[in-house]
Amino acid sequence: MSGATGAALGVTAVTGAGPVDAATGTGATTGAAATKEARSAAPAGARSPVRRRPRRGREFRGMWLATVANRDWPSRAGLTADRQRAELLAHLDTAVGRRLNTVVLQVRPTADALWPSPYEPWAACLTGTQGRDPGWDPLGTAVREAHARGLELHAWFNPYRVANHTDPARLVPDHPARLHPEWVLPYGGKLYYNPGLPEVRSFVQEAMLDALRRYDVDAVHWDDYFYPYPVAGQVFADDEAYARYGGGFPDKASWRRNNIDLLVSGMSARIKETKRHVPFGISPFGVWRNAATDPEGSDTRAGVQTYDDLYADTRKWIREGWVDHVVPQLYWNIGLPAADYAKLLPWWDAVVRGTGVGLYIGEALYKAGDPAQPAAWQDPGELSRHLALAAGYPSVGGHCFFAAKEVAADRIGAMATVVADHYPTRVRAPGR
């Protein structure tokens, strides 16, 4: 989900690879200094999610299907409706063939929609023109066809990204970001909604909930974009919002974390009010904080930490019960010094233990066979070893692979090795 593929490691960081653009190459750099704890401020009346434990014989086996910039699907903008639909069904069939049981489809990539939304325009990835009706209902079709194949369909939303450019004039005239230019900030070559504005939080929640109300989706899913990944030499210019709403916080970082807490806790409560049985899952960048920054952090030396750089206190969301499951992006190989999969796995297992929150591990299939990646990723057995290692941790309930294009192409047979070693038959997802 993030815009840069790769792993935020070492002294210089490449931003976290998340389920969406994460494997496409939009980068960010720099790690941030430690900041004070964010103040907790869940909205009044927020309810904890219903606790769900995986049923015996069930396991999460998922793949992300990214639409931003036509990363996975459609293969290019402007295809006919029939061709778009055929490609979508082919991805669902590939998931079945790989003995997966869940497809996490990106349905709101850049403040636009893959369904007829009354709040936001049709997504440009479909027709090549934002706001143009593609002539069919991609999300409705995806839900129906996934269920017909025994797959769960998780609707994946990006809350704050507006555009992969900084020119509001390129948005359709009735785009909310043009109707409310005060909501939007440019940063790092992109446009973002300002998370510090209460009216923005309310709007983006309502836009996402429209899909939940209309369709029988099996979960609501968010990726790792909250405040944007840091870009060296650039400032996210939210001083005005901080001056208006930041009173009582010790610093801007604490206020920013509280803004994201409000978004997460508020969305959690509203999902339960809308369809109580539908789980809410988030897939954060894999490092909450390094141990050198916080003794409760992981034994890592990542250049990005979600708490300090994205203002996302992912551990708190688990402890507060605001999410039903978490899918940390552990996109690094076993033994990597800066961010060792074998060290992050037990850290996340310990974080969720006893909370009732499900833990599914995000896996970097896109790195397998990529010549730009370390030697470990040239070995088709690397990912299979991840699953073998995870089997020893009782909180781990499955895995999700980034992303659909690689699940199908399987450059060096890494996915086929996972299937042969760990997925002898199809099983059902943990369920709702």
Side-chain angles (χ1 to χ4, degrees), residues 185 194 196-197 227 236-256 259:
L185 292 172
N194 186 347
L197 301 179
Y227 278 87
F236 193 72
D238 58 353
D239 284 352
E240 183 179 341
Y242 179 49
R244 194 184 321 165
Y245 300 110
F249 290 88
D251 51 41
K252 184 185 279 189
S254 298
W255 169 73
R256 284 177 170 177
N259 292 334

Side-chain angles (χ1 to χ4, degrees), residues 35-364:
T35 53
K36 298 177 183 178
E37 278 291 327
R39 185 175 72 177
S40 172
R47 290 182 282 173
S48 295
V50 177
R51 293 291 170 235
R52 302 171 183 81
R53 296 188 181 280
R55 292 173 237 178
R56 181 172 300 187
R58 298 194 175 201
E59 178 183 14
F60 188 95
R61 300 177 183 175
M63 74 176 188
W64 281 289
L65 181 54
T67 60
V68 66
N70 298 96
R71 198 273 174 197
D72 293 321
W73 174 79
S75 60
R76 61 179 174 85
L79 298 177
T80 65
D82 286 345
R83 179 72 181 278
Q84 290 176 22
R85 185 178 185 277
E87 288 188 355
L88 174 63
L89 299 189
H91 281 298
L92 300 182
D93 289 339
T94 295
V96 172
R98 298 295 191 186
R99 299 178 187 147
L100 306 180
N101 54 33
T102 304
V103 172
V104 185
L105 173 63
Q106 189 178 32
V107 299
R108 186 179 182 266
T110 50
D112 49 17
L114 270 75
W115 75 96
S117 169
Y119 297 95
E120 294 176 311
W122 281 104
C125 64
L126 297 170
T127 64
T129 302
Q130 188 177 67
R132 179 178 294 171
D133 189 331
W136 67 302
D137 181 356
L139 177 52
T141 301
V143 170
R144 181 175 63 254
E145 295 290 345
H147 291 173
R149 290 162 172 76
L151 297 166
E152 288 197 356
L153 196 288
H154 292 198
W156 163 20
F157 306 88
N158 185 284
Y160 288 132
R161 182 176 53 211
V162 174
N164 288 321
H165 57 76
T166 59
D167 183 4
R170 291 172 58 185
L171 304 173
V172 293
D174 61 349
H175 194 290
R178 292 188 68 176
L179 299 177
H180 300 278
E182 72 279 6
W183 288 4
V184 180
L185 292 172
Y187 181 81
K190 299 182 182 181
L191 289 175
Y192 295 93
Y193 283 128
N194 186 347
L197 301 179
E199 57 270 35
V200 163
R201 286 195 295 272
S202 177
F203 171 78
V204 298
Q205 288 175 4
E206 196 62 29
M208 292 182 281
L209 286 166
D210 181 67
L212 179 62
R213 294 186 180 109
R214 288 170 179 256
Y215 301 101
D216 186 25
V217 299
D218 296 288
V220 170
H221 181 94
W222 287 359
D223 57 21
D224 53 326
Y225 273 110
F226 295 98
Y227 278 87
Y229 278 89
V231 177
Q234 299 204 25
V235 175
F236 193 72
D238 58 353
D239 284 352
E240 183 179 341
Y242 179 49
R244 194 184 321 165
Y245 300 110
F249 290 88
D251 51 41
K252 184 185 279 189
S254 298
W255 169 73
R256 284 177 170 177
R257 272 190 293 276
N258 185 69
N259 292 334
I260 303 303
D261 285 350
L262 289 171
L263 177 75
V264 173
S265 59
M267 189 67 175
S268 177
R270 296 188 71 182
I271 290 170
K272 300 310 170 228
E273 291 165 0
T274 304
K275 288 185 179 177
R276 187 168 179 80
H277 64 281
V278 174
F280 179 30
I282 294 180
S283 178
F285 178 74
V287 176
W288 172 71
R289 299 187 98 185
N290 296 319
T293 304
D294 186 323
E296 295 189 19
S298 52
D299 183 12
T300 51
R301 297 189 298 280
V304 168
Q305 304 167 90
T306 62
Y307 181 95
D308 302 282
D309 297 313
L310 309 183
Y311 306 97
D313 191 352
T314 51
R315 188 182 67 161
K316 177 180 180 179
W317 307 341
I318 294 167
R319 291 179 167 182
E320 295 289 341
W322 295 338
V323 293
D324 294 292
H325 58 259
V326 63
V327 194
Q329 298 167 29
L330 304 192
Y331 284 5
W332 306 288
N333 56 277
I334 295 171
L336 186 69
D340 187 346
Y341 184 97
K343 292 181 177 178
L344 281 161
L345 186 68
W347 188 90
W348 282 99
D349 176 81
V351 166
V352 304
R353 196 176 304 150
T355 65
V357 173
L359 174 62
Y360 315 133
I361 305 300
E363 302 285 352

